[in-house]
């Protein structure tokens, strides 16, 4: 059983998946830092000190605090500011992944074009002759032998 597990764990797909998960976790930390440390302060300065992280709605009358951390200690709150921050994180990740996949697809397309050379000149000429004959038959309205 240990040998079977080792064979499973060392398959190419499993190792690739593990590497992807580790890189994805590191990438998530980078995006979180980018949003929290770069974008949100800029948005806050443009909007006059707006800080989404402390936006919440108290769900009970016992909540009287002005910041989210204290409000959570007092009772139930709807922390929609945190949701806004996470939504911005998602949009950034989605945009970055879109551009990465788009770039990879362009590279693959360029490689495919290199791999598929143009057909020989004789084949191109034969295709042109075939197309001309087909057009001539369509104009005359008949088959091989005329109308």
């Amino acid at each position: 059983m240990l040998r079977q597990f080792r064979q499973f764990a060392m398959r190419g797909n499993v190792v690739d998946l593990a590497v992807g998960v580790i890189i994805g976790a590191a990438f998530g930390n980078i995006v979180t830092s980018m949003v929290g440390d770069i974008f949100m302060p800029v948005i806050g300065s443009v909007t006059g000190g707006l800080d989404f992280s402390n936006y919440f709605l108290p769900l009970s009358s016992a909540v009287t605090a002005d910041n989210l951390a204290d409000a959570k200690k007092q009772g139930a709150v709807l922390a929609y500011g945190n949701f806004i921050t996470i939504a911005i994180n998602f949009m950034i990740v989605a945009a970055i992944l879109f551009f990465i996949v788009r770039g990879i697809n362009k590279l693959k397309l360029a490689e495919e074009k290199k791999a598929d050379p143009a057909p020989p000149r004789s084949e191109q000429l034969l295709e042109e002759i075939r197309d001309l004959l087909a057009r001539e038959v369509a104009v005359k309205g008949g088959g091989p032998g005329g109308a």
Side-chain angles (χ1 to χ4, degrees), residues 68-83:
L68 181 61
D70 292 338
K72 283 184 175 182
K73 292 176 186 173
Q74 293 176 346
V77 294
L78 184 68
Y80 66 91
N82 192 32
F83 175 78

Side-chain angles (χ1 to χ4, degrees), residues 25-92:
F27 183 70
N29 290 337
I30 290 170
V31 171
T32 300
S33 175
M34 184 188 325
V35 170
D37 300 333
I38 296 173
F39 288 130
M40 292 313 233
V42 171
I43 291 171
S45 68
V46 169
T47 59
L50 200 69
D51 181 15
F52 291 118
S53 64
N54 276 321
Y55 279 27
F56 64 92
L57 289 172
L59 298 177
S60 105
S61 58
V63 178
T64 58
D66 290 337
N67 63 43
L68 181 61
D70 292 338
K72 283 184 175 182
K73 292 176 186 173
Q74 293 176 346
V77 294
L78 184 68
Y80 66 91
N82 192 32
F83 175 78
I84 291 171
T85 303
I86 290 171
I88 291 172
N89 281 353
F90 172 77
M91 296 242 215
I92 291 170

Side-chain angles (χ1 to χ4, degrees), residues 11-21:
R11 278 189 167 158
N13 294 342
V14 174
V15 174
D16 291 345
L17 179 63
V19 169
V21 167

